[in-house]
Amino acid sequence: MIATQYKGNKTFSVVEKEIEAPAEGEVRIKVAYSGVCGTDVHIYHGMMDQRVAMPQTIGHEMSGIIDAVGQGVEGFYEGDKVVVRPLDDRKAKPSDKGFNHICAELNFIGIDSPGSMQQYWNVPAFTLHKLKENTDLKLAALIEPLSVATHDVRLSGLQAGETAVVLGGGPIGLLVAMVAKEVGAQVIISEVNPTRIEKAKSMGLEAVSPIDVDLVEYVHSKTEGRLADVVFEVAGVQPALDVMTEVAGIRGRIVMVAIHGQPKPVNLFKFFWKELKLIGARVYEKEDYEKSISLITANELPFEDMITDVQPLSNIQKVFENIDNNPDGMKVLMDCQL
């Protein structure tokens, strides 16, 4: 079989490996598609070299079919369509308070251990979610990032009739917006990239540029002065941090989706003045995956529009180089059998 390996210095290689039998408690998956995540791009840029043991097969957004089942595995069989929730929480402790998805010694599969950008992948059976037989495996590769969005929206407490402002119209921002709209909220996306604005609009979402309009005034006019009930900060840049406390209304909730590696200035006075809440949201839980699977199965949202390219696994180096040169793209999938 072929597998890809990140070797550092913006370099991937494609290597031949032996297909291994699954160990006890594991299954072997014939990987159909593996999506390229923003985290994978960070790895490519060397930003996680202290965490990724090189050479390493990365990837955690995937879909596939069970190819072999190890001893002791129950409820999963050869031929089952599955996705992996890539969280190995076997080192969870009582001090983690039962929130094993963010336990202190979490092993994020595909970052801390080998991932899905290979033809066959052995994983613990407890990470699996079964799909219906008629599930489109291309769309199923979106379940992992979609679960980030369902987790964010669930933690926000967003209700039908409320207004949500999504700061950032990249892949996760669009998925958050779709899930928020599915809840029944009014959704406004703030994005500076004109191509991404047009992409959002083509998907039936409202999107504006904070360069062209005063975002606070725009949301004020759309809500009879109430402003946003929920703000999702997905952009990860200082201007988004500056505006999030301005565009949030009284007792608004701000959900921190973006990863900020360094401390950043935030207007804490606004939290006092408007009784705002700041909610951290990281990865997902089982119920978020099940919600995402139901959304993908129903296929009533424009998920296909999220997939902007499908490339053979053997083209991995070129794929990451192209992503660097094309900020307009959304979701690139690797066909792991090519």
Side-chain angles (χ1 to χ4, degrees):
M1 74 169 198
I2 65 168
T4 63
Q5 292 181 338
Y6 168 69
K7 303 179 75 174
N9 196 29
K10 291 188 174 182
T11 303
F12 285 91
S13 62
V14 180
V15 301
E16 287 282 346
K17 290 178 61 178
E18 292 291 327
I19 298 177
E20 299 180 0
E24 184 175 357
E26 290 186 343
V27 303
R28 185 174 68 216
I29 299 173
K30 184 178 182 180
V31 183
Y33 298 97
S34 185
V36 179
C37 172
T39 302
D40 298 327
V41 177
H42 288 322
I43 291 172
Y44 170 71
H45 286 150
M47 298 170 64
M48 301 178 73
D49 282 0
Q50 77 285 355
R51 182 173 170 187
V52 177
M54 294 175 277
Q56 176 78 293
T57 299
I58 65 169
H60 56 273
E61 302 179 358
M62 58 73 64
S63 63
I65 298 172
I66 293 177
D67 177 69
V69 178
Q71 290 186 355
V73 174
E74 297 181 355
F76 293 97
Y77 306 94
E78 290 182 29
D80 285 347
K81 289 183 176 181
V82 294
V83 289
V84 170
R85 181 162 42 99
L87 308 180
D88 184 347
D89 60 359
R90 285 177 286 188
K91 292 186 178 180
K93 298 180 175 65
S95 55
D96 296 311
K97 304 178 182 179
F99 300 109
N100 290 8
H101 71 295
I102 52 172
C103 63
E105 295 188 52
L106 179 70
N107 170 20
F108 196 111
I109 304 171
I111 301 175
D112 303 311
S113 58
S116 58
M117 291 187 184
Q118 53 186 322
Q119 286 186 309
Y120 294 88
W121 189 30
N122 293 3
V123 297
F126 66 78
T127 66
L128 299 178
H129 287 258
K130 192 179 294 189
L131 306 175
K132 290 189 175 181
E133 191 174 335
N134 63 347
T135 305
D136 184 326
L137 288 177
K138 281 185 183 177
L139 296 185
L142 300 176
I143 287 171
E144 193 274 350
L146 179 58
S147 297
V148 172
T150 55
H151 185 69
D152 298 337
V153 173
R154 179 170 64 86
L155 291 192
S156 77
L158 185 66
Q159 302 291 319
E162 291 190 315
T163 298
V165 171
V166 181
L167 303 176
I172 295 297
L174 286 188
L175 290 171
V176 168
M178 281 194 278
V179 175
K181 187 175 180 181
E182 192 266 344
V183 166
Q186 175 187 19
V187 181
I188 300 168
I189 298 171
S190 173
E191 170 58 51
V192 298
N193 184 313
T195 302
R196 289 186 167 183
I197 290 173
E198 291 308 309
K199 168 65 80 172
K201 289 180 177 179
S202 74
M203 297 168 66
L205 299 166
E206 184 175 0
V208 297
S209 170
I211 297 172
D212 299 332
V213 303
D214 182 313
L215 183 64
V216 177
E217 287 299 321
Y218 183 85
V219 176
H220 188 279
S221 69
K222 290 283 185 174
T223 59
E224 298 180 337
R226 295 187 302 274
L227 296 174
D229 299 290
V230 177
V231 180
F232 296 94
E233 202 292 88
V234 197
V237 294
Q238 187 61 50
L241 297 179
D242 294 339
V243 79
M244 68 182 188
T245 53
E246 301 293 333
V247 78
I250 289 175
R251 286 203 169 178
R253 294 97 71 194
I254 299 172
V255 182
M256 188 53 58
V257 183
I259 300 172
H260 293 270
Q262 300 295 327
K264 302 284 180 63
V266 173
N267 189 345
L268 295 180
F269 177 78
K270 294 292 183 178
F271 283 87
F272 158 77
W273 196 249
K274 294 192 280 189
E275 292 193 350
L276 303 178
K277 291 182 180 179
L278 181 62
I279 301 168
R282 178 180 160 205
V283 292
Y284 28 66
E285 296 173 84
K286 182 177 180 179
E287 62 193 283
D288 304 309
Y289 249 68
E290 293 299 330
K291 172 66 173 179
S292 297
I293 289 169
S294 69
L295 290 174
I296 290 290
T297 302
N299 197 18
E300 295 174 351
L301 300 175
F303 295 119
E304 289 185 13
D305 294 342
M306 294 289 300
I307 301 171
T308 49
D309 196 13
V310 180
Q311 289 286 325
L313 191 61
S314 54
N315 280 3
I316 187 168
Q317 181 68 36
K318 193 69 174 175
V319 164
F320 277 83
E321 290 173 0
N322 288 344
I323 288 173
D324 258 5
N325 297 323
N326 179 23
D328 298 338
M330 281 295 161
K331 181 58 62 178
V332 179
L333 299 185
M334 311 298 300
D335 186 328
C336 292
Q337 296 304 311
L338 296 178

